[in-house]
Each structure stands twice: as structure tokens, then as C-alpha cells.
Amino acid sequence: AQRVAEKLRLLVADQPFPTAGRVTASFGLAQLQPPEPLDKWLQRTDEALYAAKKGGRDRVCVAQVAAA
């Protein structure tokens, strides 16, 4: 997933958008850790996305493994 997100990020950054100017993409990733509840997994994914944006955008951030 990280490789795919990085490839997508680069494709967006390299794509010309004449009316929008420079466009970037940020991605947050988290691997589900069974028996982790779905809502906790989505929360970690969302936190990773916000970390990517807070870190300067145009990046991929991977969440830490959920604590047991």
C-alpha cells in the first residue's frame, strides 16, 4: 500500500493542472491489526493522514502498529 500511495503521490505531483496550479496529494496508511476494531483502525488511518498534512503535505505517512 505504501508503494502504491507513493506512486500516486508522484503521479499527481508530476501532472500539469493548468487551471489549478501545482497540485499535491497526501496519504495516510494503517494496517489493520486483528482483533483491532474497525473504528480504531480508521482512526489510526485518519491520524496518519493528518500527520502527512501537518508534516508539510505531499507525503505518505504510515501509522504505528496499534497497541495491544
Side-chain angles (χ1 to χ4, degrees):
Q2 188 173 1
R3 283 191 294 250
V4 171
E6 185 62 29
K7 187 173 183 176
L8 287 171
R9 185 191 68 77
L10 291 171
L11 286 170
V12 169
D14 290 342
Q15 181 66 37
F17 292 93
T19 58
R22 183 168 186 262
V23 175
T24 63
S26 297
F27 295 87
L29 306 173
Q31 182 174 351
L32 180 64
Q33 302 291 314
E36 179 181 26
L38 182 61
D39 63 324
K40 297 297 182 189
W41 173 52
L42 293 174
Q43 180 181 358
R44 289 189 311 109
T45 305
D46 192 47
E47 289 169 358
L49 175 58
Y50 279 98
K53 291 179 178 183
K54 186 177 179 183
R57 301 180 183 232
D58 193 26
R59 63 186 65 228
V60 176
C61 285
V62 179
Q64 298 294 321
V65 174

